[in-house]
Amino acid sequence: MRRMWSWVADVGVGWVRACAVAAVGLLIPAVWAAAVALGVAWGASNPWSWLAPLVLVGVGTFALARPVCRAVRFLVARWSGTVIPSGYRRPGPVTRLSTGYWWNGFGYERSSRDAVLDQRMRLRLGDRANARDLRFTAVLALTAAPVAAVPPAALVTMAVCGVRPGPSAVLLGAGALAVAVGSGPYAWRLLRPVAVRFLRPSAAMALAERVDELTAQRADTTVAQAAEIRRIERDLHDGAQARLVALGLSLATAEKLMDKDPERARALMREARAGATTSLSELRELVHGIHPPVLGERGLVDAVRAFALDSPLEVRVTADGEFRLDPPIESALYFGIAELVTNAVKHAHASRARISLAQDATGVVVEVEDDGRGGAKAREGGGLAGLGRRLAVFDGGVEISSPEGGPTLVRMMVACASL
């Protein structure tokens, strides 16, 4: 009994999937058929009877090719778990320059909106994946889609035969029912091998995608460096530089008052000494923000432990032994950890955090977990998205698990070897 119900379920699920494959695969041929029908309806005497169908076929095929391919990838991933990379070119960052113009990777525009629209149009029209998508829609319409259309076509035939009397109609209806039931669990399965064979990106497309990714990373790095330089300049101008100017004025005044008012001169010198101490502290903090000395002297693990001691949270640090990495990687991971802990205090209102550092044969994995309220997401332009872009420069990545109510677990991975 259980086997029978399982078989019935397989038939029902297979029939639904076959209908989905047939609808997706025959969508563009349906546009072609509609174009031909339009040309026939207008008649041979109408000058638009041949031009309008051609325009409809061209525009409709190009506009529907990418949605059809995306739908096929979704169905294959959902039904079989096979993820087929799209290979589409990704848009790079749109950056505003000092001249006021916006650079989108192709040209300069006067506004951010115009730069984004121009970038999207150029990427859509110049993408190498367009030819692959158009080829795949033709292959799909000739292979998986007709096979998937067998079960629904058989059921339609059975329904038509059911309203017509006669032994031949009954016999044909019974045969159609047998075909629909027998082919239902299997008719849709041709979609996966066809999609894997013809829909995956080519080597040239993968190379172009990698070039776009590196271009975007270079632009992100340039923007981040410019922002960091501005921050350092601002901190120096508003902090240490102002104090050093005041220190020079105090010493000059004390020099003039040395003979006339020694007590006032000594008071000014004491103030100057206090200002020099404060300026030295600010310079040390500034240097620590650029590159902590303990990070260069003792490595990532000890630097993270020192950071945990100064954190307002109760932070527990665990490390899989002591290891040293390339300085740029250590710096990126250190400031990534610092940013995550700061977010846990500022946004998640956490009270405790755990930092784990481990290394294996493939690279380094750093986990930061807090007991905050959760809900953290990598939003475009946000800190977590920027962290992912910074680690992508080293072929790394970020994984975020942060349900509402917490806890939040962020995993940073970088492929590298220890020194």
Side-chain angles (χ1 to χ4, degrees):
M1 189 69 178
R2 183 177 299 178
R3 290 184 177 180
M4 184 185 70
W5 283 113
S6 177
W7 176 78
V8 172
D10 290 341
V11 172
V13 171
W15 190 83
V16 172
R17 292 181 177 181
C19 290
V21 174
V24 172
L26 297 178
L27 178 61
I28 292 181
V31 173
W32 300 345
V36 173
L38 180 63
V40 172
W42 280 355
S45 60
N46 193 324
W48 291 95
S49 60
W50 62 273
L51 181 59
L54 289 179
V55 173
L56 180 60
V57 167
V59 174
T61 302
F62 184 80
L64 293 175
R66 183 163 293 188
V68 166
C69 293
R70 285 176 172 169
V72 169
R73 290 191 198 90
F74 172 78
L75 295 178
V76 171
R78 186 175 181 87
W79 294 344
S80 66
T82 302
V83 178
I84 304 175
S86 64
Y88 298 132
R89 296 184 62 184
R90 300 178 182 178
V94 177
T95 308
R96 186 174 187 178
L97 305 178
S98 58
T99 58
Y101 285 84
W102 293 80
W103 170 255
N104 59 11
F106 300 96
Y108 301 93
E109 299 294 337
R110 293 184 177 272
S111 66
S112 173
R113 179 177 176 273
D114 293 340
V116 171
L117 292 177
D118 179 72
Q119 182 190 60
R120 290 178 179 176
M121 182 187 68
R122 289 175 182 269
L123 289 177
R124 183 68 174 90
L125 297 178
D127 198 343
R128 292 174 178 264
N130 292 331
R132 179 208 57 190
D133 289 351
L134 293 173
R135 183 185 69 234
F136 176 75
T137 55
V139 172
L140 180 64
L142 296 174
T143 55
V147 175
V150 171
L155 285 182
V156 171
T157 302
M158 183 192 69
V160 172
C161 293
V163 299
R164 293 187 177 183
S168 59
V170 173
L171 184 61
L172 183 59
L177 177 62
V179 171
V181 172
S183 62
Y186 310 103
W188 62 274
R189 297 181 183 273
L190 186 60
L191 179 67
R192 179 187 174 279
V194 171
V196 171
R197 172 63 180 84
F198 294 99
L199 199 52
R200 61 187 178 185
S202 63
M205 293 168 57
L207 180 60
E209 182 180 6
R210 181 58 175 168
V211 170
D212 292 339
E213 182 180 354
L214 293 176
T215 302
Q217 291 174 3
R218 182 183 63 183
D220 289 336
T221 302
T222 303
V223 173
Q225 288 177 346
E228 186 67 14
I229 291 174
R230 288 194 298 269
R231 182 188 70 83
I232 295 172
E233 291 176 347
R234 184 175 60 251
D235 291 345
L236 286 174
H237 182 271
D238 298 340
Q241 180 178 342
R243 291 187 181 277
L244 291 175
V245 171
L247 175 62
L249 294 176
S250 298
L251 291 176
T253 305
E255 183 181 4
K256 294 179 181 180
L257 295 175
M258 186 64 69
D259 296 331
K260 299 179 181 179
D261 191 353
E263 291 298 326
R264 178 59 178 165
R266 281 193 289 269
L268 289 174
M269 294 182 69
R270 286 194 295 269
E271 293 177 2
R273 183 176 60 185
T277 303
T278 304
S279 298
L280 182 60
S281 300
E282 290 182 351
L283 288 174
R284 286 175 177 172
E285 292 179 0
L286 181 61
V287 171
H288 188 275
I290 299 173
H291 188 79
V294 66
L295 183 61
E297 295 172 1
R298 306 187 61 179
L300 178 63
V301 176
D302 287 340
V304 172
R305 287 172 177 162
F307 169 79
L309 294 176
D310 297 333
S311 174
L313 292 179
E314 179 185 344
V315 182
R316 180 167 60 92
V317 180
T318 60
D320 186 13
E322 300 289 338
F323 50 85
R324 296 299 304 268
L325 308 172
D326 290 334
I329 298 177
E330 286 188 337
S331 179
L333 291 175
Y334 175 84
F335 286 107
I337 293 172
E339 182 176 353
L340 294 175
V341 174
T342 302
N343 290 342
V345 176
K346 185 177 179 180
H347 302 293
H349 304 292
S351 59
R352 292 187 302 273
R354 178 185 63 87
I355 303 175
S356 172
L357 302 96
Q359 185 183 34
D360 54 21
T362 60
V364 176
V365 178
V366 177
E367 293 183 351
V368 179
E369 184 178 14
D370 64 73
D371 62 348
R373 59 187 181 184
K377 296 180 180 178
R379 300 177 179 86
E380 185 63 29
L384 292 177
L387 176 59
R389 290 194 298 269
R390 291 196 299 271
L391 293 180
V393 176
F394 308 102
D395 289 333
V398 176
E399 294 180 357
I400 304 171
S401 174
S402 182
E404 293 293 338
T408 297
L409 175 62
V410 180
R411 180 180 291 107
M412 298 181 290
M413 299 157 290
V414 176
C416 60
S418 60
L419 298 178

